[in-house]
Amino acid sequence: MINDFDLLTTCDISGFIKEEIRSILIYKSDVKDSDIVLDINCGVGEISSEFSNLAQKVYAIDESPQAITISQNNIKKHGNIDNVEMINEDGLSAIEKIENFDIAILHAKNDKYNEIIDIIHEKINSKGRILILTNILDIEVNVVNKLDELNYNPQITQINISKGQLLYKGIKMESQNPMTIIFAKKR
């Protein structure tokens, strides 16, 4: 696992997925070395970096040119850049051009997540896995309802990580950003 402090970040790109959450994401995805992975709204590329060492191919997708540049640098430093194709487009446009994938990871943070889920559902390989990350309650509810409508049986896991900081009087526990992983497997 890549240590959070080793990742290149910027205040212009919203928070990244913490290492403990990435480890759960890898476990839930059941990634294999033959899998093709989509990392939609890849941000700083922390997930693409992890999966590039485990999967056959990763598509790192983000509409922000700055996110693509930082992702590429993180993947070069921590992952296998030869296994990654960087796509500087919005998720919906990018997925429409990709024909073959086994795992779709969506950082659901904008209004297009329902449309993106629809196209993932249409195009993902049989027995493909969908993992949706969010920390917005309304999106969690909408995603679960959308997956149910598409005849999936979504599993919802909310993760709250706290890290200790040693102070002169003892250890102070600081809560990290909670995250929800919604997992669904194509039947």
Side-chain angles (χ1 to χ4, degrees):
M1 293 301 307
I2 303 163
N3 187 310
D4 288 342
F5 297 110
D6 291 336
L7 289 165
L8 302 170
T9 61
T10 175
C11 59
D12 296 330
I13 299 171
S14 63
F16 61 90
I17 305 303
K18 306 292 189 257
E19 62 192 88
E20 294 84 359
I21 296 172
R22 290 194 309 269
S23 67
I24 294 169
L25 192 65
I26 289 167
Y27 169 76
K28 292 291 249 179
S29 74
D30 192 28
V31 63
K32 295 174 180 39
D33 61 4
S34 59
D35 284 333
I36 297 171
V37 179
L38 304 184
D39 184 8
I40 306 155
N41 299 326
C42 67
V44 299
E46 69 281 18
I47 291 173
S48 292
S49 294
E50 300 282 9
F51 277 85
S52 72
N53 292 318
L54 302 168
Q56 177 183 338
K57 182 171 181 114
V58 175
Y59 291 93
I61 302 164
D62 206 295
E63 61 187 336
S64 162
Q66 185 179 22
I68 290 295
T69 299
I70 291 174
S71 291
Q72 192 167 28
N73 290 331
N74 276 324
I75 296 164
K76 283 179 183 174
K77 184 176 179 184
H78 302 290
N80 184 351
I81 194 70
D82 294 334
N83 289 348
V84 180
E85 184 174 331
M86 310 298 296
I87 302 176
N88 186 200
E89 288 184 49
D90 71 276
L92 201 54
S93 299
I95 298 168
E96 287 175 349
K97 298 173 187 170
I98 301 169
E99 292 303 321
N100 181 31
F101 58 93
D102 304 288
I103 299 172
I105 301 166
L106 170 61
H107 308 253
K109 55 187 178 184
N110 61 31
D111 294 337
K112 295 182 181 179
Y113 60 88
N114 275 330
E115 295 168 75
I116 292 172
I117 292 169
D118 279 332
I119 197 161
I120 288 170
H121 170 68
E122 288 173 23
K123 298 185 89 174
I124 197 165
N125 292 336
S126 65
K127 299 187 182 176
R129 285 88 71 207
I130 303 170
L131 296 112
I132 300 167
L133 302 163
T134 188
N135 56 6
I136 301 170
L137 185 58
D138 291 349
I139 292 177
E140 292 172 22
V141 171
N142 289 335
V143 164
V144 167
N145 288 335
K146 179 66 173 176
L147 290 168
D148 183 49
E149 174 188 307
L150 293 171
N151 202 27
Y152 289 89
N153 184 15
Q155 300 171 11
I156 304 109
T157 304
Q158 187 172 64
I159 304 153
N160 296 295
I161 304 292
S162 294
K163 293 190 177 185
Q165 179 183 12
L166 188 58
L167 303 175
Y168 70 95
K169 290 184 176 182
I171 298 172
K172 173 186 172 189
M173 295 305 290
E174 264 187 43
S175 179
Q176 305 294 304
N177 197 13
M179 185 60 59
T180 298
I181 299 173
I182 301 167
F183 171 80
K185 190 172 186 177
K186 191 164 187 178
R187 298 178 201 200

